[in-house]
Amino acid sequence: MLSALNSAQREAVTAPDGPILVVAGAGSGKTRVLTTRIAWLLEQGVHPGEILAYTFTNKAAREMKERVARQVGAQRAPFWIGTFHATGVRILRSHADRLDLPRDFAIYDADDQKRLLKGVLQDLKLDSKQWGIPASRVAISAWKNQDVGPEQALREASMYVDEVHAKIYTAYQQALRKCQAVDFDDLILETVHLLEQHDEVRQQYAGKFRHVLVDEFQDTNELQLLLIKLLSCIHGNVFTVGDDDQSIYGWRGARVENMLEFDEYFPGARTFRLEQNYRSKGHILDAANHVIAHNRHRKGKNLWTDQGLGEQVTVEQHLDAEDEAARVVEIVQQHRRGDVTVLYRTNAQSRLLEDALRRARIPHQVVGSVQFYERREIRDLLAYLKLVANPADEVSLQRIINQPKRKIGQTTVGRLIQCSRTHDLPVGDLVARPDLLATALGNAAARRVVGFLNRLADWRRDAADRKPVHELLQRIVADIDYETFLHQDEPDTAAGRMENVAELVSSAQAFHEGSDGGTLGQFLEQTALVADQDTIQDGDGAVRLMTVHTAKGLEFPVTIVTGCEDELLPHVTSSDTEAGVEEERRLFYVAVTRARERLYLLHASRRRRFGSYEDTLPSRFLGELPEDAIERRELDHGWQEPVARSLFGGPRKARAPRDLYSASSQAKRHRKDDWNADVAQSAQHYEGQLVSHASFGAGTVVRVEGDEVTVDFGEHGRKHILTRYAHLTPLD
DNA sequence: TTTGGGGAGGTTTTT
DNA sequence: CCTCCCCAAA
């Protein structure tokens, strides 16, 4: 077990009891240390139930469990391994009686939060233009992460803005509890309160967990630190692993100080350092080391490897984001698809990349926000289930009471909720009081509402009878005739959306089979807490696309970082403070250190923003790379400065300084030829030209933009075609 | 109550 | 460019 470790790792793993901080550089075997530590503890006679380990994602938790099980046997694997949030839910549910919450409280995500806040702002008669929902959300979350309640926030508000936000916070918290719901921050905050306020509960957990282990410690916030301290207050065995250079969640309250000042929070702590990197080839590591050395606020470490230099890091400039995407396709084709991962700073960048990959028919998976659980149809159906599970959930009710249309509009819903408030009854339970509804809504509207609530009552009976979640879901879909609704709503996308519905049903079925008859509440909890990373489908041979944030903790043989431009990476909104730029630099460092064998850093000279092109500069981080480790290529696209641009005052910004690009002439010539070939091909088409396409038949060219040609195929509609991939034959 | 047109505004990053 | 929200009309 220990023989596979180097001496530094072994020392950390076998460290005696007490607080321990392992400063583990990127790729230095952090996960291995953590899992081996657990296995080692078990071997020392620690009981599996005495170990609590925090991971950053559920996927990481699952993998850690599996690895430990492999070392010590499945029956001896610890069962308290999970994220702060998932673990919080588990603790809160079993002590719901001590809280002001029912056992099956709902968990509100960002979207639910926004909808709830919208109502709160209306109730407070605040102008939603002046008092934005995002700003309130940020303020509330910041308070919660510092363990500041609404009263305290109000008391301490020194400025008018704070005062209003504190009032919003107060009303928001009331509304949330009225819906018998908690938000993500509450999952930690309420757990902390539970442990603080109930001695016997604290004794129970702190007594049980002899060892508390924390992964990605650099990204924990004040509240999480507090929680760790509470849980370890009896035994004091805290084993944390982190890398201050990879702290990238400062914007949501993460404090690197938890790590840098570890000794203050856990007196007598011992520190271990892991600096040998087992992941990346020499040139890649060299590049990473050079860049991160530009940060002033860091403890400082130097990763090394004995793996050899490998290939140089490729840095390429492209004309625009479309060209960059085309190049991504090309790079992918030069490697094994499943080995390649494409990274970007913002989710919005994924669209173009996805389009290019789709046109080239390259299997790919976009990991992250635009995916499954964010889709409208999925959210709608989940809202039905949430309302079934929790009849007080006003946000879900508002979402679906008129979806599909039941002639129940905003006014009626407003009165309905008012009615539930005055009589202090959950909205769903008003079904038992048609008399109240009739007075509050009038007869006609009341009849429609009762009709809906009756249906809801049927589903609730099903759920109470422990009907499997997927069967319940299928019944709901049938009862509301969802398929017809989708077709009427948006005929073009109905089929695709119905596929998503089917996927949701099968995931519910998988849950039912996998959880040995899990409840509806458990299913919803699981869907609420999925992290982006949890959705990665391993081993399917597809290219993966994700944000740099999502890629944290992962590694890929071939990594392509796109959009390495100033104002994007580093992002504009973080560029004006030193702390901001340093966090962006850490983000860039995380991106670079994901790569094992091969790293490409791409940037474009111009990029569309809100529809129109804006000129860009290469990221300042590219200028911080060591020349020996990189190969810079400037690609000649045969591109000329558009006349219009110079007429209107020229480019907003200067072009990239030439001397950044002293590429080897061989490589340059090679690339140039490729590119010119593409450009030459696209020049064959012009507006009004008659062309033929392999699957769409004959059509007329409507627009030519580079090699992207828009063609009207009559009954097949207008299509955007990249001539690089789909050939168009001229008919004239 | 629904619908559509018009207009404004929006892009960090996530459990 | 797209999405969302508001308002007026049916």
Side-chain angles (χ1 to χ4, degrees):
Chain A
M1 178 172 76
L2 298 175
S3 57
L5 303 177
N6 67 32
S7 62
Q9 291 172 331
R10 192 157 47 233
E11 264 186 67
V13 163
T14 58
D17 282 2
I20 287 156
L21 170 67
V22 181
V23 182
S28 64
K30 175 167 73 77
T31 314
R32 165 174 284 185
V33 164
L34 219 37
T35 50
T36 319
R37 170 75 175 182
I38 294 174
W40 183 80
L41 286 172
L42 292 167
E43 206 165 70
Q44 303 296 302
V46 176
H47 187 268
E50 295 173 330
I51 291 173
L52 168 67
Y54 282 121
T55 58
F56 210 67
T57 63
N58 303 299
K59 187 172 179 251
R62 206 165 43 237
E63 285 170 0
M64 187 173 293
K65 244 178 252 179
E66 283 165 10
R67 285 192 204 198
V68 175
R70 227 172 296 141
Q71 296 193 35
V72 299
Q75 71 290 351
R76 287 182 61 210
F79 34 88
W80 282 88
I81 298 182
T83 64
F84 278 96
H85 298 270
T87 312
V89 178
R90 193 165 163 187
I91 295 176
L92 289 178
R93 290 240 198 263
S94 40
H95 301 278
D97 49 318
R98 320 242 166 183
L99 304 157
D100 189 17
L101 282 168
R103 181 170 294 264
D104 50 354
F105 58 81
I107 299 166
Y108 275 9
D109 64 14
D111 188 72
D112 298 321
Q113 258 183 318
K114 281 182 208 148
R115 285 163 182 268
L116 191 66
L117 271 170
K118 203 177 141 197
V120 166
L121 289 173
Q122 274 163 10
D123 288 348
L124 292 176
K125 309 237 180 320
L126 289 167
D127 181 11
S128 64
K129 290 211 174 65
Q130 200 182 347
W131 300 100
I133 290 170
S136 327
R137 226 165 60 85
V138 168
I140 293 171
S141 178
W143 273 318
K144 287 190 174 182
N145 281 320
Q146 293 169 73
D147 195 14
V148 174
E151 310 79 25
Q152 194 188 344
L154 199 57
R155 212 166 40 236
E156 289 173 0
S158 53
M159 287 187 293
Y160 181 60
V161 211
D162 298 333
E163 200 184 312
V164 177
H165 276 150
K167 282 182 182 150
I168 296 172
Y169 181 16
T170 311
Y172 165 81
Q173 204 56 23
Q174 277 167 5
L176 196 60
R177 289 302 183 267
K178 166 99 207 310
C179 295
Q180 308 195 333
V182 300
D183 61 25
F184 279 126
D185 296 324
D186 281 341
L187 291 177
I188 320 273
L189 185 60
E190 292 298 333
T191 310
V192 166
H193 286 171
L194 180 75
L195 296 174
E196 277 177 344
Q197 290 159 15
H198 301 276
D199 289 344
E200 73 288 1
V201 180
R202 185 176 60 251
Q203 296 296 323
Q204 179 195 334
Y205 285 100
K208 172 161 71 176
F209 297 132
R210 300 176 68 90
H211 293 274
V212 178
L213 299 93
V214 189
D215 194 8
E216 306 282 7
F217 189 61
Q218 77 282 355
D219 281 321
T220 52
N221 64 28
E222 201 172 330
L223 212 48
Q224 287 162 335
L225 178 69
L226 196 52
L227 183 58
I228 295 165
K229 276 158 92 177
L230 284 166
L231 288 169
S232 61
C233 67
I234 292 181
H235 299 291
N237 297 324
V238 183
F239 188 94
T240 60
V241 181
D243 178 4
D244 50 320
D245 287 332
Q246 293 186 68
S247 158
I248 55 173
Y249 282 101
W251 51 273
R252 64 170 200 202
R255 296 172 76 248
V256 218
E257 292 79 10
N258 288 0
M259 200 178 146
L260 301 182
E261 297 158 10
F262 190 73
D263 220 4
E264 285 173 36
Y265 307 119
F266 299 97
R270 298 188 55 182
T271 302
F272 298 89
R273 306 172 69 79
L274 307 180
E275 295 192 324
Q276 182 174 4
N277 175 298
Y278 295 95
R279 180 185 295 155
S280 309
K281 285 286 196 291
H283 280 319
I284 295 171
L285 201 57
D286 209 23
N289 280 337
H290 263 78
V291 171
I292 200 64
H294 287 76
N295 268 7
R296 287 206 299 145
H297 301 283
R298 67 187 287 251
K299 280 231 160 145
K301 67 169 106 52
N302 221 17
L303 292 180
W304 58 277
T305 179
D306 55 14
Q307 275 203 52
L309 290 175
E311 284 182 77
Q312 283 180 310
V313 175
T314 303
V315 178
E316 286 178 359
Q317 178 171 45
H318 293 268
L319 165 62
D320 53 26
E322 287 80 1
D323 268 326
E324 183 188 63
R327 173 65 176 142
V328 165
V329 167
E330 198 180 68
I331 295 172
V332 167
Q333 285 164 339
Q334 290 164 359
H335 296 90
R336 279 176 43 207
R337 267 200 316 268
D339 285 352
V340 185
T341 295
V342 187
L343 302 180
Y344 36 79
R345 173 68 233 262
T346 65
N347 285 302
Q349 291 167 251
S350 70
R351 226 218 207 102
L352 227 42
L353 296 162
E354 203 188 356
D355 283 351
L357 289 164
R358 195 181 307 119
R359 283 180 193 137
R361 297 176 196 284
I362 295 175
H364 59 277
Q365 186 200 1
V366 180
V367 181
S369 75
V370 212
Q371 38 114 40
F372 200 61
Y373 288 101
E374 308 267 324
R375 308 244 159 110
R376 209 164 61 236
E377 61 276 15
I378 301 304
R379 296 203 65 104
D380 280 353
L381 289 177
L382 286 175
Y384 272 94
L385 291 178
K386 280 161 107 170
L387 191 57
V388 170
N390 172 16
D393 188 340
E394 288 167 13
V395 170
S396 295
L397 175 112
Q398 289 192 62
R399 185 179 180 107
I400 47 95
I401 193 166
N402 204 29
Q403 187 91 347
K405 309 271 182 249
R406 298 186 181 93
K407 296 192 163 53
I408 302 172
Q410 264 316 303
T411 3
T412 307
V413 175
R415 286 178 189 149
L416 177 63
I417 285 174
Q418 204 49 54
C419 175
S420 115
R421 263 175 221 179
T422 42
H423 300 284
D424 198 28
L425 267 175
V427 251
D429 291 341
L430 282 171
V431 69
R433 301 297 303 275
D435 52 317
L436 295 178
L437 289 175
T439 27
L441 317 174
N443 280 327
R447 213 169 20 248
R448 294 193 286 265
V449 169
V450 169
F452 172 75
L453 291 180
N454 269 325
R455 208 150 245 193
L456 178 64
D458 288 344
W459 300 326
R460 284 173 66 188
R461 261 189 297 281
D462 278 356
D465 294 345
R466 309 205 114 229
K467 190 191 189 82
V469 184
H470 60 283
E471 287 177 22
L472 175 61
L473 192 56
Q474 276 167 324
R475 170 165 183 196
I476 293 174
V477 172
D479 281 357
I480 64 178
D481 205 2
Y482 201 55
E483 186 157 12
T484 315
F485 164 72
L486 286 181
H487 274 103
Q488 285 163 356
D489 187 52
E490 233 184 291
D492 295 346
T493 58
R497 288 158 80 184
M498 213 44 214
E499 274 173 34
N500 291 332
V501 172
E503 207 177 315
L504 181 66
V505 171
S506 41
S507 88
Q509 184 162 8
F511 164 81
H512 178 73
E513 285 157 7
S515 66
D516 196 23
T519 63
L520 174 57
Q522 285 164 344
F523 176 70
L524 290 172
E525 179 181 311
Q526 191 186 277
T527 58
L529 297 177
V530 277
D532 287 344
Q533 251 191 38
D534 299 335
T535 64
I536 296 177
Q537 297 147 21
D538 283 319
D540 60 356
V543 180
R544 252 161 296 273
L545 293 79
M546 65 186 88
T547 65
V548 183
H549 281 92
T550 300
K552 185 172 93 149
L554 304 175
E555 59 175 43
F556 322 106
V558 180
T559 304
I560 309 175
V561 187
T562 63
C564 297
E565 292 142 34
D566 251 32
E567 311 225 313
L568 192 56
L569 182 57
H571 199 269
V572 228
T573 46
S574 311
S575 300
D576 50 355
T577 63
E578 191 188 7
V581 173
E582 293 210 343
E583 179 151 317
E584 296 288 315
R585 188 177 281 110
R586 290 193 291 270
L587 197 55
F588 185 74
Y589 176 76
V590 167
V592 168
T593 52
R594 295 313 92 195
R596 282 216 296 257
E597 305 282 335
R598 197 77 176 83
L599 174 65
Y600 296 86
L601 304 172
L602 308 186
H603 65 107
S605 332
R606 52 175 202 171
R607 189 174 288 274
R608 274 200 158 94
R609 235 179 97 78
F610 299 141
S612 56
Y613 279 115
E614 284 185 22
D615 289 287
T616 61
L617 286 175
S619 170
R620 67 193 71 174
F621 303 145
L622 294 179
E624 298 168 359
L625 297 165
E627 287 304 324
D628 293 349
I630 62 172
E631 176 204 16
R632 293 189 196 264
R633 301 175 181 168
E634 185 177 22
L635 304 168
D636 185 351
H637 305 250
W639 174 60
Q640 290 172 338
E641 189 81 12
V643 180
R645 191 180 301 275
S646 33
L647 282 178
F648 291 105
R652 236 167 34 87
K653 286 166 208 136
R655 303 262 335 261
R658 290 251 145 192
D659 58 352
L660 264 180
Y661 289 90
S662 45
S664 83
S665 55
Q666 265 179 324
K668 207 166 170 180
R669 196 171 320 111
H670 171 70
R671 297 277 338 122
K672 207 177 201 169
D673 291 347
D674 281 4
W675 230 273
N676 287 339
D678 290 334
V679 173
Q681 194 187 23
S682 69
Q684 290 172 355
H685 303 291
Y686 55 89
E687 280 181 33
Q689 183 184 30
L690 289 174
V691 292
S692 164
H693 181 271
S695 45
F696 300 125
T700 316
V701 174
V702 183
R703 204 168 59 118
V704 183
E705 200 179 330
D707 64 348
E708 181 171 343
V709 181
T710 310
V711 186
D712 193 341
F713 289 108
E715 58 176 328
H716 289 291
R718 287 191 173 191
K719 309 279 176 195
H720 298 282
I721 299 210
L722 271 190
T723 53
R724 196 177 307 158
Y725 310 119
H727 207 72
L728 290 175
T729 319
L731 290 180
D732 47 356

